[in-house]
Amino acid sequence: MSLKLESPNNSNTSNQKEKHKPKPKRKPTTTMAPKTLNFITGNKNKLTEVKAILGSIVDLQSQALDLIEIQGTIEEISLDKCRRAAEAIKGPVLVEDTCLCFNALNELPGPYIKWFLQSLGHDGLNAMLAGFPDKSAQAVCTFAYSEGPGHEPIIFQGRTDGKIVPARGPANFGWDPIFEYESQTYAEMDKVAKNKISHRFRALEKLKAWLEESS
Amino acid sequence: MSLKLESPNNSNTSNQKEKHKPKPKRKPTTTMAPKTLNFITGNKNKLTEVKAILGSIVDLQSQALDLIEIQGTIEEISLDKCRRAAEAIKGPVLVEDTCLCFNALNELPGPYIKWFLQSLGHDGLNAMLAGFPDKSAQAVCTFAYSEGPGHEPIIFQGRTDGKIVPARGPANFGWDPIFEYESQTYAEMDKVAKNKISHRFRALEKLKAWLEESS
């Protein structure tokens, strides 16, 4: 799938139609840090985590939107979701996506991990790697920020290397029990320690630095 | 992901916004067989196959559109794609999706098979099943037809049972060499024989029967 740069307004536009249209002007890239930011999430834990890091530099509001997610690369999916959110909110938005990438599967399930976790559970995800000697994986967090409708989003991505192991630790948060960082799974780790190395923390640090520089 | 029934026009509409809007009227379901039908495909082989079966009862035109594909169930993805196509073409459209569902993975990779085939190839797809005793699979073809913008699409689906095996036969068409039906892979089968049992043939037979009944 090719990277689409049209605005969310034109998401139904066909290539065929585009042939007959004058070439659209390149849209302005988002460059301004906002004072208020709508974080699109229905997850209170994520909101708390993001507020803890960004709360001192931006007024973080949360909104739950039921946005479609397209198929594509991690970046294509985040950019598309951010454009749709900006269009729906009519203002500055922040969206977040979490992927679990198996290196033996060339980064898959990646953005499709939620479907695989839901269908297969922790044991099934381990079994998918039985035929591959390489059990290494990356936890990937991607934030995308847009100034508003028509502004190209900017991406801030954090990656944490680990490996897929049989589940250990409390099973109350997604795939945390099967992602091992050094000697502990995410689920086994102390929350403070986890938040210093997590994919989400690394992405948030980049976003924070950008907000500070651009404000 | 919940099934979205909004029209393609409203694909950016948020739930939040919908709460403040009057409940939309249920759209008419597509019930009329068309005289001319735009089959959305850039694949000449598919067009030939579909023309061979439907050509005598409908004037089949083909158009290539670069439509986004959402994440979701097989049916959600087909319905969404068909709505977008109808909106782009402004008339009756037929779209097609092919999935390869591994029973041990609860139908996955399913609609995501193209990403897995692209990343892992035939050997990798076999290796993904190494940890599961069940190698059975279903080839699934889903046609969705809409009378035009605002008309709910109808789905015609064909499924063929088989199993995943190490590649055998010419490797010039997708996952055909690793999908075994009875004793032969799709790639090894005589084309005429394959077209009598294939997932696409079965879906087309249903579509044909509907077109004949509704015209």
Side-chain angles (χ1 to χ4, degrees), chain A residues 10-78:
Chain A
N10 298 334
S11 61
N12 301 317
T13 305
S14 66
N15 270 359
Q16 189 208 37
K17 280 172 72 183
E18 281 172 355
K19 280 182 196 157
H20 305 291
K21 287 198 306 184
K23 205 175 174 185
K25 282 183 190 169
R26 184 171 279 274
K27 281 175 295 169
T29 300
T30 288
T31 51
M32 288 273 294
K35 291 198 166 48
T36 302
L37 188 49
N38 299 293
F39 180 37
I40 309 303
T41 185
N43 184 323
K44 281 187 182 174
N45 291 334
K46 279 192 188 174
L47 179 66
T48 305
E49 196 174 334
V50 175
K51 266 197 171 157
I53 294 177
L54 303 183
S56 62
I57 49 174
V58 69
D59 175 21
L60 202 74
Q61 305 291 325
S62 79
Q63 303 230 25
L65 289 182
D66 186 19
L67 297 168
I68 64 161
E69 281 191 286
I70 63 165
Q71 297 181 34
T73 65
I74 296 175
E75 290 75 15
E76 284 166 357
I77 294 168
S78 288

Side-chain angles (χ1 to χ4, degrees), chain A residues 4 7 10 13 15 49 52 95 98 115 140 147 173 184 191 198 211-212:
Chain A
K4 287 168 197 305
S7 83
N10 298 334
T13 305
N15 270 359
E49 196 174 334
V95 300
T98 296
W115 307 104
V140 181
E147 217 170 306
F173 193 62
Q184 287 183 302
K191 206 173 168 183
S198 81
L211 286 168
E212 285 171 341

Side-chain angles (χ1 to χ4, degrees), chain A residues 1-2 4 6 8-17 63-73 76-77 80 84 87-90 104-106 108-109 111-112 114-120 123-125 127-132, chain B residues 1-2 4 6 8-17 63-73 76-77 80 84 87-90 104-106 108-109 111-112 114-120 123-125 127-132:
Chain A
M1 177 181 279
S2 59
K4 287 168 197 305
E6 75 268 34
N9 274 338
N10 298 334
S11 61
N12 301 317
T13 305
S14 66
N15 270 359
Q16 189 208 37
K17 280 172 72 183
Q63 303 230 25
L65 289 182
D66 186 19
L67 297 168
I68 64 161
E69 281 191 286
I70 63 165
Q71 297 181 34
T73 65
E76 284 166 357
I77 294 168
D80 178 88
R84 288 176 201 278
E87 191 64 30
I89 293 291
K90 309 280 181 213
L105 304 188
N106 282 318
L108 290 169
Y112 311 113
K114 69 175 171 185
W115 307 104
F116 282 80
L117 177 62
Q118 189 178 299
S119 288
L120 300 177
D123 290 347
L125 286 171
M128 261 175 67
L129 282 177
F132 300 92
Chain B
M1 176 180 278
S2 59
K4 289 170 196 304
E6 75 267 34
N9 273 338
N10 297 333
S11 60
N12 301 315
T13 305
S14 65
N15 270 359
Q16 189 208 36
K17 281 173 72 183
Q63 303 230 26
L65 290 182
D66 186 19
L67 297 167
I68 64 162
E69 282 193 285
I70 64 165
Q71 297 181 34
T73 65
E76 283 166 358
I77 294 168
D80 179 87
R84 289 177 200 278
E87 191 63 31
I89 293 290
K90 310 281 182 214
L105 305 187
N106 282 319
L108 291 168
Y112 312 112
K114 69 175 173 187
W115 307 103
F116 281 79
L117 177 63
Q118 190 178 299
S119 287
L120 301 177
D123 290 349
L125 286 171
M128 261 175 69
L129 282 179
F132 300 92

Side-chain angles (χ1 to χ4, degrees), chain B:
Chain B
M1 176 180 278
S2 59
L3 186 60
K4 289 170 196 304
L5 292 170
E6 75 267 34
S7 84
N9 273 338
N10 297 333
S11 60
N12 301 315
T13 305
S14 65
N15 270 359
Q16 189 208 36
K17 281 173 72 183
E18 282 174 351
K19 280 181 196 155
H20 305 292
K21 287 197 308 183
K23 204 173 175 185
K25 283 184 189 168
R26 183 170 280 275
K27 281 177 293 168
T29 300
T30 288
T31 51
M32 287 274 295
K35 291 199 167 46
T36 303
L37 188 50
N38 298 294
F39 180 36
I40 309 303
T41 186
N43 184 323
K44 281 188 183 175
N45 292 335
K46 278 191 188 175
L47 180 66
T48 306
E49 197 174 332
V50 174
K51 266 198 172 157
I53 293 177
L54 302 184
S56 61
I57 49 173
V58 69
D59 175 21
L60 203 74
Q61 306 290 325
S62 79
Q63 303 230 26
L65 290 182
D66 186 19
L67 297 167
I68 64 162
E69 282 193 285
I70 64 165
Q71 297 181 34
T73 65
I74 297 175
E75 290 75 16
E76 283 166 358
I77 294 168
S78 289
L79 289 170
D80 179 87
K81 191 164 143 185
C82 190
R83 288 186 206 111
R84 289 177 200 278
E87 191 63 31
I89 293 290
K90 310 281 182 214
V93 289
L94 182 67
V95 301
E96 189 259 9
D97 269 301
T98 295
C99 299
L100 184 59
C101 303
F102 294 177
N103 292 333
L105 305 187
N106 282 319
E107 298 223 328
L108 291 168
Y112 312 112
I113 186 63
K114 69 175 173 187
W115 307 103
F116 281 79
L117 177 63
Q118 190 178 299
S119 287
L120 301 177
H122 296 145
D123 290 349
L125 286 171
N126 269 275
M128 261 175 69
L129 282 179
F132 300 92
D134 180 4
K135 313 293 183 193
S136 67
Q138 280 201 321
V140 180
C141 176
T142 310
F143 281 93
Y145 163 69
S146 166
E147 215 170 305
H151 287 265
E152 268 305 282
I154 308 183
I155 276 181
F156 305 90
Q157 193 170 77
R159 289 176 177 251
T160 298
D161 286 304
K163 64 178 183 179
I164 302 303
V165 296
R168 299 198 315 262
N172 50 6
F173 192 63
W175 41 260
D176 272 16
I178 63 162
F179 183 76
E180 186 186 81
Y181 174 77
E182 294 181 350
S183 59
Q184 285 183 305
T185 66
Y186 263 8
E188 289 175 317
M189 289 178 85
D190 170 70
K191 206 175 170 184
V192 175
K194 180 191 162 195
N195 284 348
K196 282 183 188 157
I197 59 87
S198 81
H199 54 305
R200 187 167 300 119
F201 171 76
R202 288 174 182 177
L204 278 170
E205 282 289 291
K206 290 183 185 173
L207 173 57
K208 186 186 179 188
W210 181 83
L211 286 168
E212 286 172 337
E213 278 168 25
S214 311
S215 59

